[in-house]
Every structure is written in C-alpha cells, then in structure tokens.
Amino acid sequence: MTAQDSATRTGPVAVTGGTLLATAGVLAFSLTFPATVWGLESFGPWSLVAIRGVLAALIAGGFLLALRVPFPERRHWGAFAVVASGVVLGFPMLTTLALGTSTTAHAAVVVGLLPLSTAAFSALRTGRRPSRTFWGAAFAGAAAVLAFTLQQSGGAVSTADLYLFGALLVCAAGYTEGGRLARLMPGWHVIGWALVACLPLNLVVSAVALSFEPVRLTAQGVTGLVWVAAARALSWRGRSSWCRRTWWRCWSRRARRSWRTSRRSRARPSTTRWTPRWGPGCTTWWR
C-alpha cells in the first residue's frame, strides 16, 4: 500500500458543495411532514398533494425555461416516468394519507428506512452484490422499524403504516432511477422535468379534488401548502445530490463523501421529530 493510496489518508476531508446541498436538502425536506399536517388543516389529502405538485412544477418549470434546459431525450423517458411516479406522485400521496391518522414522529421513523431502501434498490438495479454486512445491516434496520411500528400500533400494522411502507418502496425506486439519470445530466434537471411531466395530471386532480373535498383556509394551512410545494421544488439540488451519491455507493469504493451524505439523510427523522410548531401565541414541538 502506497502513501498515495486513499486508504492511508488520515487528514480531514473538506466539506464539498454536494455535501452542503445534501444537508440543506435534508433539512428543508425534514420540515415537509409537519408542514403537510398544517396543510391538511385547510385542504383534503388529494387536493393538498395535487396543488403542491402544481406549484412545485410551476417553480421548477420557470427555472428550466429561464435557463433554456433542453427537453430530455426519448430514451430517458422510461426512467423519468419511474421518478415522476415514485417521487412526485406516489411518495407525497401515500405519506399525506398516512399523516391523516399518524403522527409526524411515527412517520419519520418509518420513512427513516428510505436511504437503506434506496441503497437496496440501487444494488438490485446495478446487478452488484453487496456484502453480507450490508444485508445484515439492512435486515437489522428493517426489523427495528417493524418492531417500532408494531409497538406503536398495538401489535398490528395500521393502515397508515401500510401507506408509509408503500411510500418507501415507490420513492426508493424513483430515487434509484433519479440517481442513474443524475449521472447523465445535472441532478436538478431530473427532478425538475419529473415535476413538469406531472403538471397536467396534477391540474386535473386539483380541479376534481377541490370540487369534492372541503377547503377551510387558515394561515397555518396555507403556510404548510406553500412550504411543501417550495421544498419539493427548491430542495431538488440537495436531494438529487443524495440520489446520485447513493447510486455510486452501490458499485464504487469511493464512498467517503457518500457516507457523509447518507448520515445526513438518516438524520432526517430526528430533525422532523424536533421541528418547532408555531401557532397563535405559542411555540411547541412536534413529537
């Protein structure tokens, strides 16, 4: 082993722009669960998800148009469909339905398996064979979350838990394809075009849902809607950086920065748990 070998380096590793973006993305995204609960005070679940999708697509589309980003090539449309279905449509809808009856802390713990689920999907997608240590950690983490879920639900898996586990699967698939696409183009192009692709469907769903679900506008409810829409659109840089690094982890040994980013992603349940809740004349904490 030579002195130039990476395994012998003991000095501190500089914090890169990708790491900072991933950290910012995780922090912004961690607030989306409490903000979703706020939004449900004013809108029904289908209305909330569809409207946030419309607003996020308008923000993303504005950036894509202003920067004259070329339309994705036809050969990538299938991968974009997976990203759009899992990240833009499936995950927001399933988690919003779950938060109708579950607490933000409970949902955050279950969704804390997302980095591990994404790594597993990426391993299967690349055809690589992770080590026994990887699979041991995967099963241990899944068992811990399942035990927590059963304990919180009185020994049975609730409907909200099924929504959350479904959200894990579809989002992990979307993140995996997003990470693959992020190797071919800037990561924010990936989530940006996925948001824009879902705009027509979200417009239709918004119109239908608003005609069936009651709307009770409150300052907190509107704030929640605006936050989840803006976070989905503007945190794309950090999230796409995380997706790309997770993909690289599954087949490359250059894992130093990837592990740092992944640790920040696993911090999301704790940051969600201790998100401050501001109400009229009070400051409390989500638990």
Side-chain angles (χ1 to χ4, degrees), residues 25-39 48 52 91 95-96 99 104 224 227-232 235 239 268 272 275:
V26 169
L27 289 175
F29 205 51
S30 295
L31 296 173
T32 57
F33 277 6
T36 297
V37 175
W38 295 351
L48 177 63
R52 72 187 274 188
F91 184 80
T95 53
T96 300
L99 288 171
T104 57
W227 180 268
V228 293
R232 177 154 298 276
S235 67
R239 289 161 53 207
R268 179 184 164 188
T272 298
T275 299

Side-chain angles (χ1 to χ4, degrees), residues 91-103:
F91 184 80
M93 189 69 254
L94 292 171
T95 53
T96 300
L97 291 173
L99 288 171
T101 56
S102 178
T103 64

Side-chain angles (χ1 to χ4, degrees), residues 120-159:
F121 266 85
S122 298
L124 295 174
R125 183 69 171 84
T126 58
R128 301 284 173 169
R129 295 183 178 181
S131 65
R132 293 180 180 179
T133 302
F134 170 84
W135 289 118
F139 286 120
V145 172
L146 182 59
F148 168 83
T149 301
L150 293 175
Q151 188 272 332
Q152 291 286 305
S153 303
V157 178
S158 65
T159 302

Side-chain angles (χ1 to χ4, degrees), residues 256-272:
R256 187 184 300 269
R257 287 183 298 174
S258 300
W259 277 112
R260 211 169 46 238
T261 301
S262 180
R263 284 199 298 269
R264 284 163 174 77
S265 184
R266 288 196 294 271
R268 179 184 164 188
S270 60
T271 53
T272 298

Side-chain angles (χ1 to χ4, degrees), residues 210-277:
L210 287 173
S211 64
F212 286 94
E213 294 179 335
V215 176
R216 298 176 296 274
L217 295 181
T218 64
Q220 189 163 281
V222 174
T223 300
L225 170 63
V226 173
W227 180 268
V228 293
R232 177 154 298 276
L234 298 180
S235 67
W236 61 32
R237 293 298 299 272
R239 289 161 53 207
S240 62
S241 174
W242 177 80
C243 289
R244 184 172 61 254
R245 290 168 186 271
T246 301
W247 173 274
W248 277 87
R249 273 180 55 194
C250 295
W251 66 275
S252 171
R253 293 184 181 275
R254 297 167 56 189
R256 187 184 300 269
R257 287 183 298 174
S258 300
W259 277 112
R260 211 169 46 238
T261 301
S262 180
R263 284 199 298 269
R264 284 163 174 77
S265 184
R266 288 196 294 271
R268 179 184 164 188
S270 60
T271 53
T272 298
R273 179 181 178 85
W274 297 109
T275 299
R277 178 184 180 182

